[in-house]
Amino acid sequence: MDPQTAVDRLKDLDRQIRVLLHAQSVLNWDRETQMPEAAVEERAEQISAMEGIIHGRITSEEIGALLQDAGASEENPSGEKTLVSLDRAFLRRLHRLYRRHTKLPSDLVTDTAKTASRAQSVWRAAREESEFEAFAPHLKRLLELRVETADRLGYEEHPYDALLDEFEPWTTTRFVSQLFGELRQSLVPLVKEIGSARQGENPLVGRRFPRDGQEAFGRFVLEHMGYEFTRGRLDVSAHPFTDKLGRDDVRVTTRYNEEYLGTSLFGTIHEGGHALYEQGFPKSIKELILGEGASMGIHESQSRLWENFIGRSRSFWRYFYPKLVDQFPDQLHDISLDDFYRAINRVEPSFIRVEADEVTYNLHIILRFNLEKRLVAGELTVEDLPEAWREESKELLGIAPKKDADGVLQDVHWSFGAFGYFPSYALGNLYAAQFYASLRAAVGDLDEQLGNGDLSPVLSWLRSNVHAPGSTLTPTELCEEVTGSSLDAGHFTSYLREKYAGIYELR
Ligand code: ZN
């Protein structure tokens, strides 16, 4: 078969795979938002049945043969040079997916899935009791399975490369280690400096914000961001997420805490950022594997850019704070814009990652990255993990948790074997800072526009620069294309320094 015909046929097959993936998302979304408790077991069977079907499609002999006909191979994943660049980008992504699925024997995949589902329920109980010993044997087994996965997938330098690549395609451990090293050098002293500055009481604490008002305000902000409710929904789930149930069906969830406004407020903006990315892929690619985020880190850059760089900025709140006061007059009438701005930007080292502020957040990630790397390389045993956690925490954040529930047991990720996932969060912050610097340079009067409640310059810049390419580019290529240089931690650290020097009156 000639290469072009092979590519066209592959696109048909890929479209069908997307349809199945979206159908699987319907099952997942329903499980998290609507499903009655009694359906848990059957739903797990339904989802795993879909997984089996999708895996079968991806690894089909037909796809293997067509990739060959198109000239795509391990050495040359983009296929024949005569193909147009969009087709070559398509082949590169599809070949990568095919390769990852075919390299792993099905018993390794099912063994990992079973071990993970058991480990997750053990982890939940262990966290409740703060008892690491109960969880340790399961974690040990998962680690073995993931190391085997890395060996099967292959890597050049570090076994962690193969695991990281699942979330950050074509990104290496060496590159991340170097970035995180620089980040650490600026963040640790900044946190210390802020720690010795004076910080008053948080005026938002001790006030009650009824749920209905929070939801109304969340919808109001999402609409201003440009989220299309005709192609999405906002619902409630225990852990907020964004899911694509179809090319024109991208849903977000949030959760409400009446004692703490920030949970839903920033959670909704965060998920809105993810959803705008998914709603923003152009027609030419949105039916294909190319209509996906370039990586988890790039995805996270979109949510963080909206949540922190826009949603925690003073300009944004110049317009939105009076609206929020209208929504909650009794709760907010005596809090000024300045005090509110300081309250939503408080910095304080704490144990729990998901509650961490913008400044300390990445230190939580660096801690996990350091430990994961050592675990995967066999330099640290699971038995020694809690102690290693406390040591790292002391060094990075200046505090060490007394209970494992506040330390090594706090996150769900390891309980399903997702080693290599955490770096995406911090990479997302770094990409966001670098994109934000380019956005500011491109939109000269950004602060003024934000102050007028006009968020459209942000979305249109993201649409044409970050969303339009989908996953035709690798994260590294995308960053270079959009900002003119490769990822550099300096954008993030200078953004933090400037912002927090103002808030905390640092030198
Ligand atoms: Zn996110």
Side-chain angles (χ1 to χ4, degrees), residues 315-328:
S315 315
F316 175 90
W317 287 106
R318 270 214 318 270
Y319 174 82
F320 283 96
Y321 189 58
K323 313 282 177 205
L324 187 67
V325 177
D326 285 347
Q327 189 71 56
F328 298 109

PDB file of all heavy atoms in Angstrom, residues 315-328:
ATOM      1  N   SER A 315      -5.027  42.306  39.003  1.00  0.00           N
ATOM      2  CA  SER A 315      -5.810  42.872  37.888  1.00  0.00           C
ATOM      3  C   SER A 315      -7.120  42.130  37.704  1.00  0.00           C
ATOM      4  O   SER A 315      -8.173  42.735  37.487  1.00  0.00           O
ATOM      5  CB  SER A 315      -5.031  42.797  36.579  1.00  0.00           C
ATOM      6  OG  SER A 315      -3.723  43.206  36.762  1.00  0.00           O
ATOM      7  N   PHE A 316      -7.053  40.817  37.755  1.00  0.00           N
ATOM      8  CA  PHE A 316      -8.253  39.996  37.597  1.00  0.00           C
ATOM      9  C   PHE A 316      -9.304  40.385  38.635  1.00  0.00           C
ATOM     10  O   PHE A 316     -10.474  40.573  38.339  1.00  0.00           O
ATOM     11  CB  PHE A 316      -7.855  38.521  37.745  1.00  0.00           C
ATOM     12  CG  PHE A 316      -8.993  37.536  37.726  1.00  0.00           C
ATOM     13  CD1 PHE A 316      -9.431  36.968  36.529  1.00  0.00           C
ATOM     14  CD2 PHE A 316      -9.603  37.121  38.907  1.00  0.00           C
ATOM     15  CE1 PHE A 316     -10.464  36.032  36.509  1.00  0.00           C
ATOM     16  CE2 PHE A 316     -10.629  36.187  38.901  1.00  0.00           C
ATOM     17  CZ  PHE A 316     -11.059  35.642  37.696  1.00  0.00           C
ATOM     18  N   TRP A 317      -8.846  40.522  39.879  1.00  0.00           N
ATOM     19  CA  TRP A 317      -9.794  40.781  40.962  1.00  0.00           C
ATOM     20  C   TRP A 317     -10.290  42.223  41.010  1.00  0.00           C
ATOM     21  O   TRP A 317     -11.289  42.513  41.655  1.00  0.00           O
ATOM     22  CB  TRP A 317      -9.212  40.331  42.308  1.00  0.00           C
ATOM     23  CG  TRP A 317      -9.221  38.831  42.374  1.00  0.00           C
ATOM     24  CD1 TRP A 317      -8.136  37.999  42.252  1.00  0.00           C
ATOM     25  CD2 TRP A 317     -10.368  37.976  42.486  1.00  0.00           C
ATOM     26  NE1 TRP A 317      -8.544  36.682  42.297  1.00  0.00           N
ATOM     27  CE2 TRP A 317      -9.909  36.639  42.443  1.00  0.00           C
ATOM     28  CE3 TRP A 317     -11.744  38.209  42.631  1.00  0.00           C
ATOM     29  CZ2 TRP A 317     -10.774  35.543  42.530  1.00  0.00           C
ATOM     30  CZ3 TRP A 317     -12.611  37.124  42.713  1.00  0.00           C
ATOM     31  CH2 TRP A 317     -12.123  35.813  42.663  1.00  0.00           C
ATOM     32  N   ARG A 318      -9.604  43.122  40.315  1.00  0.00           N
ATOM     33  CA  ARG A 318     -10.129  44.496  40.225  1.00  0.00           C
ATOM     34  C   ARG A 318     -11.534  44.472  39.645  1.00  0.00           C
ATOM     35  O   ARG A 318     -12.411  45.195  40.095  1.00  0.00           O
ATOM     36  CB  ARG A 318      -9.212  45.363  39.339  1.00  0.00           C
ATOM     37  CG  ARG A 318      -8.122  46.068  40.095  1.00  0.00           C
ATOM     38  CD  ARG A 318      -7.758  47.438  39.532  1.00  0.00           C
ATOM     39  NE  ARG A 318      -7.681  47.506  38.083  1.00  0.00           N
ATOM     40  CZ  ARG A 318      -6.565  47.273  37.386  1.00  0.00           C
ATOM     41  NH1 ARG A 318      -5.444  46.986  37.998  1.00  0.00           N
ATOM     42  NH2 ARG A 318      -6.585  47.357  36.073  1.00  0.00           N
ATOM     43  N   TYR A 319     -11.759  43.622  38.671  1.00  0.00           N
ATOM     44  CA  TYR A 319     -13.110  43.502  38.093  1.00  0.00           C
ATOM     45  C   TYR A 319     -13.966  42.510  38.885  1.00  0.00           C
ATOM     46  O   TYR A 319     -15.128  42.783  39.201  1.00  0.00           O
ATOM     47  CB  TYR A 319     -13.015  43.052  36.634  1.00  0.00           C
ATOM     48  CG  TYR A 319     -14.362  42.774  36.001  1.00  0.00           C
ATOM     49  CD1 TYR A 319     -15.148  43.820  35.492  1.00  0.00           C
ATOM     50  CD2 TYR A 319     -14.867  41.472  35.933  1.00  0.00           C
ATOM     51  CE1 TYR A 319     -16.392  43.579  34.928  1.00  0.00           C
ATOM     52  CE2 TYR A 319     -16.120  41.222  35.366  1.00  0.00           C
ATOM     53  CZ  TYR A 319     -16.873  42.274  34.868  1.00  0.00           C
ATOM     54  OH  TYR A 319     -18.105  42.030  34.317  1.00  0.00           O
ATOM     55  N   PHE A 320     -13.369  41.352  39.217  1.00  0.00           N
ATOM     56  CA  PHE A 320     -14.203  40.277  39.768  1.00  0.00           C
ATOM     57  C   PHE A 320     -14.500  40.411  41.262  1.00  0.00           C
ATOM     58  O   PHE A 320     -15.493  39.880  41.738  1.00  0.00           O
ATOM     59  CB  PHE A 320     -13.566  38.901  39.473  1.00  0.00           C
ATOM     60  CG  PHE A 320     -13.769  38.469  38.039  1.00  0.00           C
ATOM     61  CD1 PHE A 320     -12.786  38.692  37.082  1.00  0.00           C
ATOM     62  CD2 PHE A 320     -14.961  37.871  37.641  1.00  0.00           C
ATOM     63  CE1 PHE A 320     -12.984  38.310  35.750  1.00  0.00           C
ATOM     64  CE2 PHE A 320     -15.175  37.504  36.317  1.00  0.00           C
ATOM     65  CZ  PHE A 320     -14.182  37.719  35.365  1.00  0.00           C
ATOM     66  N   TYR A 321     -13.652  41.141  42.013  1.00  0.00           N
ATOM     67  CA  TYR A 321     -13.920  41.197  43.453  1.00  0.00           C
ATOM     68  C   TYR A 321     -15.242  41.909  43.778  1.00  0.00           C
ATOM     69  O   TYR A 321     -16.038  41.387  44.572  1.00  0.00           O
ATOM     70  CB  TYR A 321     -12.739  41.796  44.231  1.00  0.00           C
ATOM     71  CG  TYR A 321     -12.939  41.651  45.724  1.00  0.00           C
ATOM     72  CD1 TYR A 321     -13.113  40.384  46.297  1.00  0.00           C
ATOM     73  CD2 TYR A 321     -13.000  42.761  46.560  1.00  0.00           C
ATOM     74  CE1 TYR A 321     -13.348  40.226  47.648  1.00  0.00           C
ATOM     75  CE2 TYR A 321     -13.225  42.616  47.927  1.00  0.00           C
ATOM     76  CZ  TYR A 321     -13.405  41.350  48.455  1.00  0.00           C
ATOM     77  OH  TYR A 321     -13.635  41.187  49.795  1.00  0.00           O
ATOM     78  N   PRO A 322     -15.508  43.064  43.160  1.00  0.00           N
ATOM     79  CA  PRO A 322     -16.816  43.691  43.435  1.00  0.00           C
ATOM     80  C   PRO A 322     -17.993  42.758  43.117  1.00  0.00           C
ATOM     81  O   PRO A 322     -19.008  42.778  43.812  1.00  0.00           O
ATOM     82  CB  PRO A 322     -16.822  44.908  42.508  1.00  0.00           C
ATOM     83  CG  PRO A 322     -15.385  45.215  42.268  1.00  0.00           C
ATOM     84  CD  PRO A 322     -14.674  43.898  42.285  1.00  0.00           C
ATOM     85  N   LYS A 323     -17.839  41.927  42.083  1.00  0.00           N
ATOM     86  CA  LYS A 323     -18.902  40.964  41.742  1.00  0.00           C
ATOM     87  C   LYS A 323     -19.027  39.898  42.836  1.00  0.00           C
ATOM     88  O   LYS A 323     -20.113  39.454  43.174  1.00  0.00           O
ATOM     89  CB  LYS A 323     -18.607  40.251  40.415  1.00  0.00           C
ATOM     90  CG  LYS A 323     -18.197  41.162  39.293  1.00  0.00           C
ATOM     91  CD  LYS A 323     -19.404  41.860  38.691  1.00  0.00           C
ATOM     92  CE  LYS A 323     -18.947  42.833  37.618  1.00  0.00           C
ATOM     93  NZ  LYS A 323     -19.892  43.926  37.399  1.00  0.00           N
ATOM     94  N   LEU A 324     -17.863  39.493  43.362  1.00  0.00           N
ATOM     95  CA  LEU A 324     -17.879  38.485  44.427  1.00  0.00           C
ATOM     96  C   LEU A 324     -18.523  39.065  45.684  1.00  0.00           C
ATOM     97  O   LEU A 324     -19.266  38.377  46.388  1.00  0.00           O
ATOM     98  CB  LEU A 324     -16.442  38.013  44.716  1.00  0.00           C
ATOM     99  CG  LEU A 324     -16.301  36.844  45.691  1.00  0.00           C
ATOM    100  CD1 LEU A 324     -16.879  35.552  45.121  1.00  0.00           C
ATOM    101  CD2 LEU A 324     -14.816  36.614  46.051  1.00  0.00           C
ATOM    102  N   VAL A 325     -18.237  40.349  45.947  1.00  0.00           N
ATOM    103  CA  VAL A 325     -18.848  41.008  47.112  1.00  0.00           C
ATOM    104  C   VAL A 325     -20.365  41.105  46.923  1.00  0.00           C
ATOM    105  O   VAL A 325     -21.133  40.905  47.864  1.00  0.00           O
ATOM    106  CB  VAL A 325     -18.228  42.411  47.361  1.00  0.00           C
ATOM    107  CG1 VAL A 325     -18.925  43.102  48.542  1.00  0.00           C
ATOM    108  CG2 VAL A 325     -16.732  42.298  47.634  1.00  0.00           C
ATOM    109  N   ASP A 326     -20.802  41.365  45.674  1.00  0.00           N
ATOM    110  CA  ASP A 326     -22.245  41.376  45.393  1.00  0.00           C
ATOM    111  C   ASP A 326     -22.871  40.018  45.703  1.00  0.00           C
ATOM    112  O   ASP A 326     -24.005  39.930  46.167  1.00  0.00           O
ATOM    113  CB  ASP A 326     -22.518  41.677  43.910  1.00  0.00           C
ATOM    114  CG  ASP A 326     -22.287  43.148  43.596  1.00  0.00           C
ATOM    115  OD1 ASP A 326     -22.176  43.943  44.561  1.00  0.00           O
ATOM    116  OD2 ASP A 326     -22.198  43.493  42.397  1.00  0.00           O
ATOM    117  N   GLN A 327     -22.121  38.971  45.411  1.00  0.00           N
ATOM    118  CA  GLN A 327     -22.616  37.619  45.648  1.00  0.00           C
ATOM    119  C   GLN A 327     -22.663  37.304  47.146  1.00  0.00           C
ATOM    120  O   GLN A 327     -23.573  36.633  47.619  1.00  0.00           O
ATOM    121  CB  GLN A 327     -21.700  36.619  44.923  1.00  0.00           C
ATOM    122  CG  GLN A 327     -22.188  35.189  44.900  1.00  0.00           C
ATOM    123  CD  GLN A 327     -23.386  35.009  43.981  1.00  0.00           C
ATOM    124  OE1 GLN A 327     -23.337  35.340  42.796  1.00  0.00           O
ATOM    125  NE2 GLN A 327     -24.488  34.520  44.533  1.00  0.00           N
ATOM    126  N   PHE A 328     -21.656  37.787  47.871  1.00  0.00           N
ATOM    127  CA  PHE A 328     -21.554  37.494  49.320  1.00  0.00           C
ATOM    128  C   PHE A 328     -21.385  38.784  50.119  1.00  0.00           C
ATOM    129  O   PHE A 328     -20.347  38.995  50.753  1.00  0.00           O
ATOM    130  CB  PHE A 328     -20.348  36.574  49.579  1.00  0.00           C
ATOM    131  CG  PHE A 328     -20.436  35.225  48.917  1.00  0.00           C
ATOM    132  CD1 PHE A 328     -19.604  34.923  47.835  1.00  0.00           C
ATOM    133  CD2 PHE A 328     -21.329  34.263  49.356  1.00  0.00           C
ATOM    134  CE1 PHE A 328     -19.679  33.671  47.215  1.00  0.00           C
ATOM    135  CE2 PHE A 328     -21.406  33.017  48.746  1.00  0.00           C
ATOM    136  CZ  PHE A 328     -20.583  32.724  47.666  1.00  0.00           C
TER     137      PHE A 328
END
